[in-house]
Amino acid sequence: MPAATTIPPQPSITGVVLTRDGERLIGKCLASLSFCDRVLVVDSGSTDNTLAIARDAGAEIIENPWPGFAGQFTFAAGKVTTDWFFILDQDECCSPELGSAIVEHVRDAMCADNDLAPPLTAFSISRRSWYFDRFMKHGGWYPDHILRVFKTGFVTFSQDAHIHYHPMGEFEHIGRGEVIHYPYTGFFHQFAKLNVYAEQGAEALRASGRKGGVLRGVGHAVARFFRIYILKAGFLDGRAGFLAAAHGAFYAFSQYIRVLDADWGRPFDHK
């Protein structure tokens, strides 16, 4: 009599997207999550058509005032009811190949939960980003491996200048498929984001007791440009590579210069 065939468990996955005024790409972003059992949008005050597009796409929407990236991801993770969840930014799309690979890897992880090996609680994925006039291939932009797939209840979040994910267990990389990232609409948009990240970076430096200053800012800017453009071969990406390195240098300079305290405008406060 033939042995009974064991049917692997079917994983349940939630696609999680944090939004605010993301109408530019949110439709394509949510459509790329069709492999998920549930799509959860956590919005922090959109004033454009983001929520209307998300409703039309069939996403579940929860509105929550912005507490910072770590706070918002913690809030969103607390609303997940499936076994696993996958984080996608509102300016990203998940390729069909990656979607299929996520389902397969999560299913395999569920099958292996009773094995002697340490349990897998997270997976990293590859991300390809468009900048200026091309998909970047150098300068530290690619391959960009980031943790994005998590077993529910087995990850925490923290933040300095950027968001950090802390899985409670082992993780592996999914080597098939990519997230496609369109981070900027132009230089004005990039500078607006850079301004926010630089301020967060300066706050993190102050909190850690590190010193700022003009010379430190210049030194870190030069070092960052050299690392991106030369050591990581950003020059191979042509004009885009130079522009990315220059903006990276300005970001580093902005962090360290903002650590300084100053009496901005105090002589003219009319007191």
Side-chain angles (χ1 to χ4, degrees), residues 219-251:
H220 281 274
V222 171
R224 190 178 183 93
F225 182 90
F226 184 78
R227 183 171 68 253
I228 294 172
Y229 196 65
I230 303 299
L231 296 183
K232 295 189 175 181
F235 61 89
L236 294 176
D237 280 323
R239 293 181 300 172
F242 178 83
L243 292 169
H247 282 99
F250 182 69
Y251 162 74

Side-chain angles (χ1 to χ4, degrees), residues 68-162:
F69 281 108
Q72 196 75 320
F73 276 122
T74 300
F75 174 84
K79 302 299 182 181
V80 173
T81 56
T82 52
D83 301 316
W84 291 72
F85 65 96
F86 169 51
I87 292 174
L88 195 64
D89 287 348
Q90 65 179 6
D91 55 7
E92 297 173 339
C93 298
C94 178
S95 72
E97 295 80 9
L98 177 58
S100 297
I102 288 173
V103 173
E104 292 174 13
H105 279 72
V106 168
R107 183 173 58 233
D108 291 344
M110 293 174 68
C111 290
D113 274 349
N114 295 322
D115 293 347
L116 296 178
L120 288 171
T121 61
F123 293 96
S124 62
I125 54 91
S126 297
R127 180 170 65 175
R128 183 183 297 273
S129 296
W130 181 272
Y131 181 77
F132 190 56
D133 61 354
R134 69 192 68 198
F135 283 112
M136 301 292 280
K137 297 180 180 179
H138 309 92
W141 285 67
Y142 188 85
D144 185 13
H145 294 171
I146 48 177
L147 287 166
R148 285 295 186 84
V149 184
F150 304 100
K151 188 174 183 179
T152 304
F154 288 82
V155 61
T156 59
F157 308 91
S158 66
Q159 179 182 353
D160 42 37
H162 301 283

Side-chain angles (χ1 to χ4, degrees), residues 185-197:
T185 59
F187 290 129
F188 184 89
H189 186 208
Q190 183 183 8
F191 267 103
K193 281 191 172 184
L194 184 151
N195 185 47
V196 173
Y197 292 143

